[in-house]
Amino acid sequence: MTNYRTHITIGLSLTICLWLGWQFLGCRSVERTMEQGREFCSKRQFNEAKDSFQRILKRHPHDLPATIEMAKTFLEAQEWKEAESWWNQVLAQKPDDPDALMGLWQSQWESADSLTHISLANTIAQELESHLTNTRNREEMLALAVNVYTMTNDSARSANIRKILIAEYPNSQKAYDIIGEQFWDGLYPIWNDQEAQIPYLLNFIEEQKEPIWRRNAYQWLLNTLHRTGRYDSVVTYCKILAEEYPDDPFALTSAARWLYEVKKEIPFAWKYAQTAVELERVAVRPEVFPPEQWKLEKAGLYGSSRLILAQTYREQGYRDHAEKWLRSAIDDAPYTMDDDMVSTSHWEVLSEIFMEKQSYEDAFSATIHALVGGDRRNYWTHLADSVLIEVCKHTGRDPEKRVQLTRDRTNYQGSVFTDVTTVANLSDRHESRVAWGDVNNDGFDDLLLNGCALFINQGDGTFRDGIKASGIEGPANGGVFGDFDNDGWLDFYAISSGTGDKADRLWRNRGDGTFEDVTTTAGNIRDDCSSEGAAWGDLNNDGFLDLYVANYEQPGKDLGQGTPDLFYLNQGNGAFLEVSDSVGMIPPFGKPLCGRGVNWGDYDNDGDQDIYVSNYRLQENLLWKNLRDGGTRSVASIDDKVTNVALLLGVAGVGKNEGLSLWWGHTIGSEWGDYDNDGDLDLISANLAHPRYIDFSNKTCLYENQGAPNWTFVDRRPQAGIKYDECHSDPAWGDVDNDGFLDLYITCIYENMRSYLYHNKGDGTFEDITYLSGTRAFNGWGCAFSDYDNDGDLDLVVGSGSGVKLFRNDSPIKHWIQVKVVGTKSNKSGIGARVEIAIAGHAQSCPTQIREIQGGKGTTSQHSLIAHFGLGDNSTPIQITVRFPSGVTKVMKNVAVDHRVEVVE
């Protein structure tokens, strides 16, 4: 009997264990299937996502999470009727769920036509009012109402519900967002009117009680009062701010800073700063404050609170205390690649203290740290440069040689550039986009600025103004070279924001130093949109260059309303055919995006050119994969198709949900380049990313190509040492020190915003050498490399509204090779050709390298059409392999280094 009971017990136990095991495995299986479904949906593989969730629902018909995900999938797929049905199923289980209600009403709204929107808006409003009356969670419903009335464009109800929400839940997340929106909306129209800002800010402070935005208004007010010379008012409001926010380190730091700036009430400033430093150590993010913005501002608070404390100590005569705090701030700085903070301000103030102590060598070292580090607005580096001049005077050094002095002190052995803008006759030019190309076939690259100003390289380091003689006229804001008719002379396409006769133009090179406008005869290849990106490439490998034009946004108040990109297929007879729809260049859901840049490149090594399109206004980027199935096409063929694989491969950007929208990045310029020398093209995508919008913006991305078989990309920017900057604009790859690895230059737009030159260390990381290399430029837009003086190293031109800059490369000599590609079966310019160089034994100092000849890069700028390779210390002959767009491959063995080679197809 005992044995029988024992067996029964064991059997039951095993049954229970098996049952529990199956339940556990089943739960794990459901979780994995859910994760797979979400992943499919995020990449717009909607059918696969639906299949995943359907498998769960087949086993568990009332599974709420799977039902919700199914509803979201149909919503993302913009299949509105199906989405409406699924959201109703969700609401059957969760009747008052705000997300489900929003999904239902959005589905109904999007599926309705404009004629029924008015009645539908009233119906939704009535349903919403019912939920607001009966719900237990009124805060969530009010937040939902704000989103709904925004969707239905019901401004009256929206304004009323916003007031109610702020009044009832002033400390809620939605209230914080609404007040912030109101703050910026009121400030933008008077951005440059200091006098108008003062009453606006005072009124905002009077009306708004939300603590963070009220504090921000005080801080903005102090800045404005100082800029308008109202110093007594600065003192008054500093004390008011400190009294109102005694436990807020941001407020106290601001109060201390502005008291110090007006040199009044310094003991109060010192007290505020000391308290701010103590509070900074324990500061915790307020629940409503955006997390990514908090990281940036917290890093800034660390530096600014300690800086102002040191400055107030110094102002009161306590230099040793000031020095202690500055050194502590420098030594313990918590800055990362994901914030824009550096220790430059601390080094600069430290240098001034050393000057006061007559410790000139210490001051010299401190200024070097400040100058090498740089700062966002060129404020502290400008002061440091002035201190360095004084140091030179006191120590018998030549102030005119101070950059070289910093190189000597830091034992800098890297790239060295000289600003030759004036010598080259390019001073007083303020164009923003730049393109290199040899228009007269004399072996020296000429320079095109903004697609309308041509400067002819004289071969002696100077340029001749060729604008009038060339016959080029009319407005333009960028241009790219390409021999579209294969006659051996470089033509160019100029983009414009104008309409009609002032729109884009195609200029044909006559071969006699002049150009003719052939836009009309070439098929009227222009549009009335604001064109921002253009680049040449041969989509069907028929030997004739095609053209992709990325257009920007519609003019008007509503930002982000894009205009269609256009793709012009070269017919081979001097004319083009616009075939963007025919080849499949239709953006997601057919909605035009705000294009900024075009970059052709064979990312998957299959022998045809793919196209990456940079888009602005927090919109996703596109990667048009060329689906050509091998071989060449006959002229004018539109059999070749493309498909957008940016999401699938990870280069669309980072999608972030914000309210009803999915935000990406403000991408300006991008460029392909094999920075890790592994034989495939990587990608740099530069993004404008303002701190106050950082939680739904993209930072710049350095995409490493993972290669075959999937050709996916991974963002390596932080690990690679490329620091976040809010104004990154246009990147450019080029081996400036001839060590065999591509270095990276990045411009930054806006007055006094600095550029960057990053040296590729060959291990996947970069270091900032901008100041030491002599390539600092400000307010930069387009940039491009060329060996314009034919001395074996890459020079750099930077377009800027503050003044074009030409930097001549005067780096220590290393070995190099340059390759000019000439097509016969392929396009004459060689655009799209893959050039590879290899050294016997694959020397570690210079492994195999690849380049592709580009018909434009970034945001309508262009490198030289001559491929440049650095070879480091290698002086032995090399092998050159050129794969032409036609598929023809030519190999040249035992090629001597240090000269230019021409490879004809």
Side-chain angles (χ1 to χ4, degrees):
M1 189 67 172
T2 302
N3 290 338
Y4 175 76
R5 289 178 177 173
T6 301
H7 290 151
I8 290 293
T9 302
I10 294 172
L12 287 172
S13 299
L14 287 172
T15 301
I16 292 171
C17 288
L18 287 170
W19 182 83
L20 290 173
W22 280 113
Q23 289 294 312
F24 175 75
L25 291 174
C27 289
R28 292 295 301 273
S29 176
V30 168
E31 289 175 6
R32 285 195 296 270
T33 305
M34 288 282 282
E35 290 173 5
Q36 289 173 346
R38 293 189 186 105
E39 180 70 16
F40 282 133
C41 188
S42 70
K43 294 180 178 180
R44 296 207 186 99
Q45 295 174 292
F46 296 125
N47 289 335
E48 292 85 346
K50 294 171 195 173
D51 288 344
S52 296
F53 303 132
Q54 193 62 56
R55 287 200 301 272
I56 299 172
L57 291 169
K58 194 170 183 178
R59 293 176 57 191
H60 309 285
H62 302 293
D63 187 282
L64 182 59
T67 306
I68 291 172
E69 292 300 333
M70 187 69 90
K72 287 181 179 179
T73 299
F74 278 104
L75 191 72
E76 289 287 331
Q78 298 189 8
E79 298 177 39
W80 308 118
K81 289 299 182 182
E82 293 83 354
E84 180 181 349
S85 174
W86 281 98
W87 284 120
N88 276 319
Q89 292 185 50
V90 174
L91 288 167
Q93 299 185 61
K94 293 184 68 176
D96 287 326
D97 183 68
D99 291 335
L101 288 168
M102 186 71 243
L104 173 67
W105 291 331
Q106 185 179 355
S107 302
Q108 293 173 340
W109 184 260
E110 295 291 349
S111 64
D113 56 42
S114 57
L115 295 176
T116 58
H117 270 172
I118 295 176
S119 60
L120 180 59
N122 289 328
T123 300
I124 292 175
Q126 292 172 7
E127 294 178 16
L128 183 55
E129 288 298 327
S130 174
H131 284 285
L132 281 169
T133 302
N134 300 319
T135 188
R136 297 178 182 177
N137 196 343
R138 183 169 170 79
E139 180 184 336
E140 281 192 22
M141 281 297 168
L142 287 170
L144 170 65
V146 172
N147 292 336
V148 169
Y149 292 140
T150 299
M151 178 185 71
T152 60
N153 301 310
D154 193 333
S155 56
R157 285 191 175 104
S158 177
N160 182 59
I161 208 74
R162 287 165 183 253
K163 289 180 181 178
I164 293 172
L165 189 147
I166 291 172
E168 294 185 17
Y169 301 98
N171 297 319
S172 67
Q173 180 68 61
K174 197 64 178 180
Y176 173 87
D177 294 339
I178 292 171
I179 295 170
E181 184 181 317
Q182 293 172 349
F183 178 77
W184 294 115
D185 285 349
L187 196 58
Y188 285 142
I190 55 174
W191 193 266
N192 296 314
D193 188 342
Q194 302 291 324
E195 293 297 331
Q197 287 181 20
I198 294 173
Y200 165 73
L201 292 166
L202 288 172
N203 183 65
F204 184 91
I205 291 168
E206 179 67 24
E207 291 185 353
Q208 296 294 349
K209 305 304 179 184
E210 198 284 327
I212 297 176
W213 285 112
R214 185 178 169 88
R215 182 201 71 198
N216 288 352
Y218 272 123
Q219 292 172 309
W220 200 282
L221 175 65
L222 290 171
N223 178 50
T224 305
L225 291 172
H226 181 262
R227 295 180 69 176
T228 55
R230 294 172 168 86
Y231 298 146
D232 288 340
S233 294
V234 169
V235 174
T236 299
Y237 282 101
C238 280
K239 291 184 176 180
I240 291 174
L241 177 61
E243 290 171 3
E244 191 169 325
Y245 293 88
D247 300 319
D248 186 330
F250 292 95
L252 295 173
T253 298
S254 292
R257 179 217 170 163
W258 291 113
L259 287 177
Y260 171 78
E261 290 291 338
V262 299
K263 296 297 188 286
K264 293 185 177 183
E265 304 285 4
I266 297 301
F268 276 95
W270 170 80
K271 175 185 175 183
Y272 298 155
Q274 190 175 50
T275 305
V277 169
E278 294 170 357
L279 292 171
E280 183 277 330
R281 295 189 177 104
V282 296
V284 177
R285 179 181 69 87
E287 187 175 351
V288 297
F289 203 88
E292 293 300 315
Q293 185 180 346
W294 172 260
K295 292 178 184 177
L296 290 178
E297 295 195 10
K298 182 67 160 52
L301 176 64
Y302 172 89
S304 59
S305 62
R306 286 156 178 78
L307 174 67
I308 194 62
L309 179 57
Q311 287 175 314
T312 55
Y313 267 124
R314 177 190 172 201
E315 189 69 19
Q316 296 176 95
Y318 301 112
R319 295 195 190 101
D320 290 341
H321 285 77
E323 181 181 344
K324 182 195 76 170
W325 277 105
L326 292 168
R327 288 191 179 279
S328 172
I330 292 167
D331 293 342
D332 300 325
Y335 311 140
T336 70
M337 290 296 112
D338 280 327
D339 60 63
D340 56 2
M341 290 302 300
V342 290
S343 297
T344 296
S345 58
H346 304 94
W347 283 114
E348 194 284 326
V349 175
L350 198 56
S351 74
E352 292 186 18
I353 292 174
F354 288 140
M355 288 295 289
E356 292 169 359
K357 291 182 173 182
Q358 298 184 9
S359 300
Y360 299 124
E361 291 304 316
D362 288 334
F364 185 30
S365 296
T367 58
I368 289 174
H369 281 290
L371 291 165
V372 170
D375 67 294
R376 291 179 58 248
R377 297 284 182 181
N378 194 33
Y379 177 80
W380 296 104
T381 43
H382 180 72
L383 293 177
D385 191 55
S386 298
V387 174
L388 182 55
I389 292 173
E390 293 301 313
V391 169
C392 290
K393 292 177 180 178
H394 281 87
T395 58
R397 296 179 171 98
D398 185 354
E400 296 300 316
K401 297 181 180 179
R402 57 190 182 279
V403 175
Q404 184 57 49
L405 291 171
T406 63
R407 292 169 182 155
D408 294 341
R409 173 60 68 92
T410 58
N411 194 32
Y412 176 71
Q413 303 295 319
S415 303
V416 173
F417 288 78
T418 303
D419 184 347
V420 294
T421 310
T422 301
V423 174
N425 299 326
L426 294 172
S427 57
D428 299 322
R429 302 306 309 187
H430 298 275
E431 290 82 5
S432 296
R433 290 185 170 98
V434 297
W436 293 104
D438 185 1
V439 300
N440 54 9
N441 289 341
D442 66 351
F444 288 90
D445 276 337
D446 308 301
L447 182 61
L448 181 67
L449 302 176
N450 265 22
C452 59
L454 182 63
F455 289 83
I456 305 300
N457 192 334
Q458 300 298 95
D460 60 0
T462 67
F463 290 81
R464 170 175 56 83
D465 185 339
I467 301 173
K468 292 182 180 179
S470 68
I472 302 168
E473 60 182 6
N477 53 33
V480 283
F481 289 112
D483 185 0
F484 80 90
D485 53 3
N486 287 341
D487 65 352
W489 299 93
L490 280 182
D491 317 297
F492 73 91
Y493 190 77
I495 60 170
S496 169
S497 57
T499 61
D501 291 340
K502 296 181 180 180
D504 311 334
R505 294 189 182 191
L506 176 62
W507 292 95
R508 180 180 175 273
N509 190 337
R510 291 191 178 103
D512 60 0
T514 66
F515 291 77
E516 62 175 324
D517 181 356
V518 295
T519 314
T520 302
T521 58
N524 197 33
I525 57 171
R526 59 164 41 138
D527 58 66
D528 289 338
C529 302
S530 178
S531 301
E532 287 285 327
W536 298 99
D538 189 355
L539 184 74
N540 55 3
N541 288 351
D542 66 349
F544 289 92
L545 289 174
D546 310 309
L547 179 69
Y548 191 108
V549 178
N551 288 319
Y552 194 43
E553 66 183 347
Q554 300 176 19
K557 295 176 63 177
D558 294 331
L559 301 179
Q561 302 299 311
T563 53
D565 293 353
L566 298 175
F567 181 73
Y568 298 104
L569 190 73
N570 194 330
Q571 304 296 284
N573 59 0
F576 292 78
L577 185 67
E578 202 287 303
V579 296
S580 51
D581 287 355
S582 301
V583 299
M585 290 177 179
I586 301 172
F589 307 111
K591 181 180 179 181
L593 302 174
C594 298
R596 279 288 198 185
V598 182
N599 297 270
W600 295 66
D602 182 10
Y603 77 90
D604 52 1
N605 291 352
D606 64 353
D608 52 42
Q609 293 280 285
D610 312 293
I611 307 172
Y612 189 75
V613 183
S614 304
N615 292 307
Y616 200 67
R617 295 298 183 206
L618 299 174
Q619 295 173 356
E620 63 189 287
N621 298 325
L622 307 175
L623 176 54
W624 298 117
K625 174 179 170 55
N626 194 331
L627 300 177
R628 191 179 66 85
D629 57 0
T632 58
R633 294 295 188 199
S634 61
V635 173
S637 168
I638 57 173
D639 294 334
D640 290 290
K641 303 290 184 180
V642 300
T643 185
N644 176 30
V645 295
L647 266 177
L648 287 173
L649 302 186
V651 292
V654 181
K656 300 181 180 181
N657 287 300
E658 179 70 16
L660 301 177
S661 303
L662 183 63
W663 301 123
W664 303 83
H666 285 304
T667 306
I668 300 176
S670 304
E671 190 184 2
W672 299 103
D674 184 13
Y675 80 87
D676 52 5
N677 284 350
D678 65 350
D680 52 38
L681 292 177
D682 310 299
L683 178 68
I684 178 77
S685 182
N687 282 289
L688 192 78
H690 296 308
R692 61 180 174 273
Y693 303 133
I694 199 65
D695 277 76
F696 53 90
S697 300
N698 285 187
K699 299 183 178 77
T700 289
C701 296
L702 176 63
Y703 293 115
E704 180 192 348
N705 193 333
Q706 302 300 286
N710 297 321
W711 304 103
T712 55
F713 292 78
V714 177
D715 180 16
R716 303 293 192 195
R717 180 195 54 78
Q719 304 94 309
I722 308 297
K723 195 168 177 67
Y724 158 74
D725 190 294
E726 69 170 307
C727 295
H728 278 166
S729 300
D730 199 39
W733 293 110
D735 184 0
V736 298
D737 57 355
N738 283 346
D739 68 348
F741 291 92
L742 287 173
D743 307 299
L744 177 63
Y745 194 81
I746 309 178
T747 60
C748 288
I749 193 63
Y750 296 136
E751 196 73 29
N752 286 321
M753 298 301 287
R754 59 178 172 159
S755 60
Y756 297 83
L757 176 58
Y758 283 103
H759 168 242
N760 189 335
K761 296 195 287 186
D763 59 359
T765 66
F766 296 79
E767 60 179 334
D768 182 352
I769 60 168
T770 321
Y771 178 79
L772 291 170
S773 67
T775 55
R776 184 79 78 206
F778 299 94
N779 195 19
W781 192 245
C783 58
F785 288 110
S786 165
D787 182 9
Y788 84 94
D789 52 2
N790 290 354
D791 66 348
D793 51 32
L794 288 177
D795 311 297
L796 171 69
V797 65
V798 180
S800 169
S802 300
V804 169
K805 290 290 184 182
L806 177 61
F807 297 106
R808 185 185 67 212
N809 195 333
D810 295 324
S811 302
I813 299 298
K814 289 184 180 179
H815 296 292
W816 54 277
I817 194 76
Q818 293 176 353
V819 182
K820 179 180 180 180
V821 177
V822 180
T824 55
K825 190 178 180 181
S826 301
N827 69 87
K828 194 82 170 181
S829 309
I831 289 172
R834 170 73 66 90
V835 184
E836 178 181 303
I837 64 130
I839 302 170
H842 291 258
Q844 289 299 313
S845 61
C846 183
T848 301
Q849 303 175 53
I850 63 170
R851 303 282 188 271
E852 284 191 1
I853 309 301
Q854 299 176 335
K857 48 77 60 178
T859 174
T860 316
S861 286
Q862 188 173 23
H863 296 308
S864 171
L865 293 172
I866 308 296
H868 177 92
F869 298 85
L871 302 174
D873 297 329
N874 179 77
S875 60
T876 60
I878 63 169
Q879 175 176 298
I880 300 174
T881 302
V882 178
R883 187 196 67 197
F884 289 85
S886 66
V888 172
T889 298
K890 293 201 72 172
V891 179
M892 299 178 64
K893 297 182 178 181
N894 297 316
V895 180
V897 302
D898 298 335
H899 73 295
R900 182 174 295 177
V901 178
E902 184 174 286
V903 181
V904 181
E905 187 175 13

